[in-house]
Amino acid sequence: MAQSIVVIDYGMGNLRSVAKAVEHVVGADDQVLVTDDPQAIHDCDRVVFPGQGAARDCMAAISDHHLNQAVLQAAKEKPFLGICMGQQVLLEQSEENGGTELLGLFAGEVRHFPGGRGPDGELLKIPHMGWNRVSPSREHPLWSGIEAGSRFYFVHSYFVDPEEKGLVMATTDFGVTFASAIGRDNLFAVQFHPEKSADDGLRLLTNFVNWKV
């Protein structure tokens, strides 16, 4: 059956790359729409919520596009994939700029990497940028066909620290062990960029498109 997938456009995020990657894995009759229209988000079958940049700017952009409620409703009701900042803003607050209020879907804070040195003594540069291993914490349909410890592409200086540890779907090490994927019910959100993560990233997007919630 044909389905519609919305990539939410609030003026921030790598929208072109995300949309192209999703278009690459959908069925021939499926529709991928990049939009900031709350009604289109309400009417679609699946939602991808990407983002990048600063948390305060991101929240301002979401508000300017009148998307707060549309995003929260979709995150509660539809197959929903958050990417990078689209994961972080689901929590309550970020340490950025002395404290930035987020959407508050999940209790917890977005924290800045402490830096320091890695297990081999290498200096850890912030932002965390490049390929790193993702270790699933539990089975999930979005990990289907992806080997544990596969590498995905990251670009970020902050990481999510949810209060409910049962939300953690995968972890990654970068000076600290952080939640690189979280999820519950119909929602799955990742810190890395599947659209930049070669075959495993495309496999994750394929799994999302086919996810039976």
Side-chain angles (χ1 to χ4, degrees), residues 10 32 49 156 166 171 188:
Y10 54 98
V32 179
F49 182 40
H156 62 126
T171 60
F188 200 88

Side-chain angles (χ1 to χ4, degrees), residues 186-209:
N186 58 294
L187 179 146
F188 200 88
V190 298
Q191 182 60 67
F192 53 82
H193 289 268
E195 77 280 6
K196 298 180 179 180
S197 297
D199 290 346
D200 284 326
L202 291 177
R203 180 56 191 254
L204 188 142
L205 292 175
T206 300
N207 291 341
F208 172 70
V209 167

Side-chain angles (χ1 to χ4, degrees), residues 90-170:
L90 299 175
L91 272 68
E92 293 174 312
Q93 181 169 305
S94 172
E95 290 182 343
E96 187 178 330
N97 295 318
T100 298
E101 295 299 316
L102 305 175
L103 291 174
L105 182 63
F106 300 125
E109 191 167 16
V110 179
R111 304 187 186 280
H112 193 270
F113 278 115
R117 295 188 178 276
D120 298 323
E122 73 277 16
L123 184 65
L124 299 176
K125 296 181 179 180
I126 310 299
H128 173 214
M129 183 166 60
W131 296 83
N132 205 340
R133 295 189 184 279
V134 172
S135 300
S137 305
R138 63 195 66 208
E139 292 186 0
H140 191 280
L142 266 67
W143 296 133
S144 176
I146 299 173
E147 186 177 346
S150 293
R151 292 180 179 272
F152 290 82
Y153 190 81
F154 292 82
V155 183
H156 62 126
S157 298
Y158 294 79
F159 62 93
V160 298
D161 184 15
E163 288 186 10
E164 183 183 338
K165 300 311 177 186
L167 292 171
V168 178
M169 293 292 166

